[in-house]
Amino acid sequence: MRVVATTHHTGGAPPLLILSYVRIAFLSLRLLLHLLLGEGFKKLLRTGRKPAVRSLNIAVRDRQMAADLYFVRDGRPRPGLLITHGVLETGKDDPRLVALANEMAACGFAVLVPELDGLKSLRLDMGESGDIAAAFRFMVSREEVDETRAGLFGISFAAGPTLKAATDPSIRDRVKFVVSFGGYYDTVNIIRYLTTGRDEYRGHRHVEPPEIYARYVFVKNLLVHLTAEEDRMVLSGLLDTMEREAAAGAKRWEGEAPVISPDRLTETGRAVYDLIRNPDPDRVQSLMEATEPAVRDYLESLSVRPVAPHLTAPVLIGHGDTDPLIPSTESLRLADAVPDQSGVHVAILKVVSHVDARLSVRSIREFLTTTLPSCCRFYGLIFRILKQQLES
């Protein structure tokens, strides 16, 4: 793993700036402990005013996009932070996201969380980057926000359209930093992992059975782009099977049972079936190329790979080492693809699964050799995110 980060020297800095760094260090520790130890510990750490929440509507083309703004009422504009939710039916109201937004506001940001209808409907579409850019323009226009210090924070799949939004000409020069947490880089690698449970990059291996939820969302979106209605109807049997198994408490789906008859599929439908059921990592690329153009074009449209070379703001990346939805190798690829390596910081974390932190210690040796170093990396990532409030 490579970690690259900008260095900000405080030598000769005025006392107020030094105190600001001390405050950021304390807030970073508080946030780390809250994320690792949960709500019970939060009450012991709460200091300062409780953030206010204001429900807003943002005009986006011919509709209104709901959003919540979290901020401390003190009459001062705060650095802006736009957080995008992942593929969640709860959208902006997901309890984990609400807790994160409140914590980031308590740490000094004015936090805007827009409702992304596509992701809330379990629809994977990079087109939502336009909505994110519109929400960012709206955020920096607010009196609660200091427009000279504003950034984007993409979670899970939303990291893709969020990174794309960061390259939008209408906001690119105003985006001062971008955070990708549990995000991805290229569709081929995602499909390799979701179908085989394996991925590798620069010696870092991610071998973890993917969750049934991730496979369900992938198949659900893939079927929409099949041109033959018969193929969509037949392959929907895979979705029905996954739904039943998930309802029964299953966390994984290996797809070994012949839940549908592939003989009923057209040639292009069979290509998608083979891609979904493929267990061989080396066949993924050729199987993708065998699908019909509409499917190939859709899968290609989801990749961050074409976007990464156009990122100009510092990029801060975090990823769980045992993520069961998106492999951590994807964040390493993303980090390597950013043009200005001096602004990149990547942390692969053993105390995080997908986007949920956890603290589990089974022995003193494990704590000293694994847990503590990972906590330090997590602290470093949090510190760098909160430190963006001091940048201009």
Side-chain angles (χ1 to χ4, degrees), residues 235-297:
L235 289 172
S236 65
L238 294 174
L239 293 177
D240 295 338
T241 299
M242 284 187 274
E243 282 185 314
R244 286 195 300 270
E245 293 187 11
K251 292 292 184 183
R252 308 284 186 263
W253 182 70
E254 302 302 331
E256 294 178 356
V259 295
I260 64 172
S261 173
D263 295 336
R264 296 173 55 193
L265 297 168
T266 67
E267 182 179 349
T268 54
R270 182 60 186 258
V272 170
Y273 176 80
D274 290 341
L275 177 63
I276 294 171
R277 298 288 296 275
N278 167 56
D280 184 356
D282 295 331
R283 294 189 63 208
V284 172
Q285 183 74 56
S286 61
L287 288 172
M288 282 183 62
E289 292 172 355
T291 62
E292 61 183 300
V295 173
R296 291 199 305 273
D297 291 346

Side-chain angles (χ1 to χ4, degrees), residues 82 129-138 140 150-152 161-176 312-313:
L82 189 151
S129 64
D131 289 354
I132 297 170
F136 184 88
R137 291 192 298 269
F138 174 85
V140 296
L152 296 166
T162 300
L163 288 162
K164 184 176 180 180
T167 67
D168 188 305
S170 70
I171 67 171
R172 183 175 54 212
D173 294 338
R174 291 191 281 178
V175 175
K176 300 305 179 184
T312 56

Side-chain angles (χ1 to χ4, degrees), residues 145-166:
V145 176
D146 178 354
E147 65 174 341
T148 66
R149 293 177 292 165
L152 296 166
F153 191 137
I155 299 174
S156 187
F157 179 82
T162 300
L163 288 162
K164 184 176 180 180

Side-chain angles (χ1 to χ4, degrees), residues 4 10 19 28 32 63 69 74 103 131 181 220 232 255 262 276 279 296 307 331 354:
V4 182
T10 59
L19 288 175
S28 299
L32 174 68
R63 62 186 176 84
L69 181 66
D74 60 2
E103 284 302 308
D131 289 354
F181 201 93
K220 180 181 176 69
R232 292 196 298 270
I276 294 171
R296 291 199 305 273
V307 171
S331 281
H354 178 50

Side-chain angles (χ1 to χ4, degrees), residues 111-160:
V111 181
L112 184 71
V113 183
E115 187 96 277
L116 301 173
D117 292 340
L119 292 176
K120 187 175 181 180
S121 302
L122 310 188
R123 188 173 69 247
L124 307 181
D125 185 357
M126 285 287 273
E128 292 213 280
S129 64
D131 289 354
I132 297 170
F136 184 88
R137 291 192 298 269
F138 174 85
M139 179 182 73
V140 296
S141 71
R142 301 284 305 183
E143 63 179 9
E144 300 92 344
V145 176
D146 178 354
E147 65 174 341
T148 66
R149 293 177 292 165
L152 296 166
F153 191 137
I155 299 174
S156 187
F157 179 82

